[in-house]
Amino acid sequence: AGRGLSVRGSAGVAIRWNRLHLRVAPEVWWSQNAGFELTNNGLTDDGAFRDPVQPYAIDLPQRFGSSAVGGLSLGSTQISIALPGVTAGASGASQSWGPGNRYQLLMGKNAGGIPHLFLQTSGPLHIGLGRLSVRMILGKLGQSSWSPVQGGETRRFLSGAVVTFAPSIPEGLEVGVERVVHGVWPEGGPGLGEIFRPFSSGVSVGFSDDPGGGTNRRDENQLAGAFARWVHRRAGVEGWVEVVRDDFARDIRHYLLEPDDLLARSLGISESLSSLGGWRFEEKSSVRKHTTASGGPLRYPVTDSAVLQWGRQAGTYAQRTVAAPCRVSILPGRWAQTCIRQPLVSDLFRELRRDWTSASGGGSDFADVVYGVRVEQVRSGQFSIHRVGRAVVNLNGTSSEITTPSA
C-alpha cells in the first residue's frame, strides 16, 4: 500500500447459465505513495527505488516511484464452465493455497491476482480411502517499471498445482502438496511442457539448459511445499503447519548440509467456542543462508511474522478447503458454500519483513519491522459492508551504508 492514503474499490455482476458461470468484478485502486527515506542500494535516479540488497537480481521495489500510483485491474473477474467432475476457466482473482489465513507461503491474497487459466476438481473426489482435490493453473506474469530487466522478453509464465487429500480416518485431517514453476515466456507461448512442469522431476539439483532435463533450468525458479491441517469440530479447534522451499540446490550436498536454507514455514492454531467468540494465532518465518547455494558465505536474510486475532464468530467459524469450491465449518454438521464473515475481528501483529546481517565481516545490518493493530467490522445483508481501521508503525533503517554484492 505504501505510505499515506490508499483506497480500493470494486463492483460487479455475476451470471450463471446452466454450467457456465461469469463474474465481472474489476477493481480500481490508488495510493498516495508518499515519500520516505530509502535504503541506499548504490544506484541513483530511478534505480534508487529498486530492492536495497539485490537491485540487479529481483523486481522488488522499495517504493513505486516518486508520485502517486493507481490503476484498474481484473479484480476477481472470472469465467468458468462446470464439466462432469472438473471445472475449467480463466480468472484474474488472487488465490489462497495451503491452510494459512494471514501468512500464506506459496499463494496468498496479500496482493492482486494474475491472469490465469485453471483446471480443478469440481468438488472433493471420493476415492475410497478419503477425498482428493486437485487444482492446476497457468498464468502470465509481468514486471514493474523498476525491474532490473530493461530489455528483451519481459513476460514470464507461471504454472502450478496443489493436491490435497482428506483421509476418512482420522476425521478432520487434511494433507497436501503444492508446487509452482515460473520462467521466461517461451517463444510461441507456453505449451504442454510448461503446463505440466510442476509434475516434472523430483529433487532438482544443479543447472540445465535442456527443456526436458530434470534439473533446474537457468531461466526458471521452482518452489514446492507441503502442509497438514487438522480440525476437531466438537472442540472447535483447528491447527496446521506448512513448509515451502525454493527447490533449487547447487548439489545434493547443499540439501544435506542446509535443509533449512531457502525455506519458509508457517504454523497456527485457532479456537472458535471461547467466551471471546474465537481467537487465532498464526506465525511464519523464513531463512536464506545463501552460502553453498551461492558458492560462498554472504548474508543471512530472515523474516518472521506473527498475528493474534480474536472476534465474535456469529455461531460459526469458516476456513477454506484448498482447491475445493466450498469452505468447511469446524462446527458439527455445518457446511458453507461461501465465506462466513466474522462481524467483528481484531488483529495484533508484528512483522519482521527483512533482517540482513553480514556473514563475511563486511557490509552492514538493517531491518524492516512493522507493529500494528487492525479492527474490521462486517455487516452482511443484500450488500456486504466492511469497515476497517488499521494503525501501523514501521521501524526500518540501517546502521551504515549497505554494501551490495556484485552480480
Side-chain angles (χ1 to χ4, degrees):
R3 187 177 186 184
L5 177 66
S6 296
V7 293
R8 180 180 64 179
S10 179
V13 61
I15 301 173
R16 187 182 299 273
W17 182 67
N18 292 333
R19 296 179 177 272
L20 185 66
H21 183 209
L22 172 64
R23 181 176 67 239
V24 180
E27 184 175 276
V28 62
W29 58 273
W30 178 88
S31 177
Q32 183 180 353
N33 192 31
F36 56 90
E37 185 177 357
L38 300 174
T39 300
N40 185 7
N41 62 7
L43 301 178
T44 59
D45 300 326
D46 283 349
F49 296 114
R50 294 187 189 178
D51 183 76
V53 179
Q54 297 287 343
Y56 297 102
I58 189 171
D59 186 11
L60 186 64
Q62 302 180 64
R63 184 183 174 203
F64 291 92
S66 57
S67 59
V69 293
L72 178 67
S73 68
L74 290 173
S76 59
T77 297
Q78 177 175 301
I79 183 171
S80 62
I81 183 169
L83 303 172
V86 298
T87 298
S91 176
S94 56
Q95 305 170 71
S96 291
W97 289 13
N101 180 273
R102 175 70 171 267
Y103 301 118
Q104 297 101 339
L105 299 183
L106 198 57
M107 286 283 188
K109 294 194 173 185
N110 63 309
I114 62 171
H116 65 276
L117 304 175
F118 66 89
L119 179 68
Q120 68 180 36
T121 52
S122 297
L125 300 177
H126 294 267
I127 57 173
L129 298 177
R131 303 183 305 277
L132 183 72
S133 299
V134 181
R135 178 177 172 89
M136 297 174 55
I137 65 168
L138 176 65
K140 179 182 177 182
L141 302 170
Q143 65 178 44
S144 78
S145 300
W146 299 270
S147 167
V149 179
Q150 295 296 319
E153 182 60 76
T154 59
R155 298 172 299 171
R156 300 182 70 83
F157 79 90
L158 180 145
S159 59
V162 55
V163 180
T164 64
F165 177 68
S168 301
I169 301 175
E171 182 184 2
L173 176 65
E174 181 182 56
V175 295
V177 292
E178 51 192 343
R179 190 185 189 202
V180 297
V181 180
H182 61 95
V184 175
W185 191 266
E187 186 176 353
L192 291 177
E194 285 75 29
I195 294 175
F196 291 99
R197 187 76 173 103
F199 297 99
S200 64
S201 72
V203 176
S204 299
V205 296
F207 286 113
S208 173
D209 293 318
D210 177 12
T215 55
N216 292 272
R217 305 177 192 175
R218 293 184 182 274
D219 60 354
E220 285 186 354
N221 191 50
Q222 311 168 30
L223 299 101
F227 56 86
R229 169 177 170 258
W230 182 70
V231 174
H232 194 292
R233 289 181 171 84
R234 291 187 177 181
V237 175
E238 173 191 16
W240 73 88
V241 61
E242 182 178 13
V243 176
V244 168
R245 191 183 194 278
D246 188 321
D247 60 356
F248 164 83
R250 186 181 181 90
D251 48 33
I252 293 295
R253 180 182 176 86
H254 180 200
Y255 274 117
L256 297 177
L257 284 178
E258 298 170 347
D260 59 337
D261 189 18
L262 303 170
L263 180 140
R265 63 158 177 81
S266 175
L267 55 89
I269 186 171
S270 67
E271 189 270 342
S272 64
L273 301 180
S274 70
S275 58
L276 292 177
W279 57 267
R280 168 186 292 266
F281 176 78
E282 191 169 347
E283 187 268 345
K284 173 195 73 71
S285 67
S286 63
V287 61
R288 184 186 183 194
K289 291 186 174 179
H290 208 110
T291 51
T292 55
S294 59
L298 291 177
R299 301 172 178 223
Y300 293 77
V302 177
T303 64
D304 184 71
S305 304
V307 59
L308 175 61
Q309 180 184 89
W310 70 96
R312 294 188 292 114
Q313 307 295 328
T316 59
Y317 183 85
Q319 169 64 29
R320 177 184 303 275
T321 297
V322 178
C326 65
R327 298 168 184 257
V328 180
S329 168
I330 63 174
L331 294 183
R334 287 185 177 267
W335 288 75
Q337 296 300 317
T338 57
C339 177
I340 301 173
R341 297 310 303 259
Q342 303 168 12
L344 182 64
V345 178
S346 302
D347 293 354
L348 290 175
F349 57 91
R350 175 188 182 274
E351 298 177 357
L352 172 61
R353 296 180 173 180
R354 188 180 327 212
D355 183 18
W356 286 79
T357 58
S358 172
S360 56
S364 307
D365 304 344
F366 79 93
D368 183 5
V369 183
V370 170
Y371 287 87
V373 60
R374 178 179 180 275
V375 178
E376 178 178 3
Q377 184 183 39
V378 180
R379 289 189 175 183
S380 298
Q382 184 177 2
F383 298 96
S384 179
I385 301 175
H386 301 249
R387 292 188 290 190
V388 181
R390 189 168 185 254
V392 172
V393 176
N394 191 184
L395 307 176
N396 58 359
T398 63
S399 57
S400 59
E401 184 173 317
I402 296 297
T403 300
T404 304
S406 59

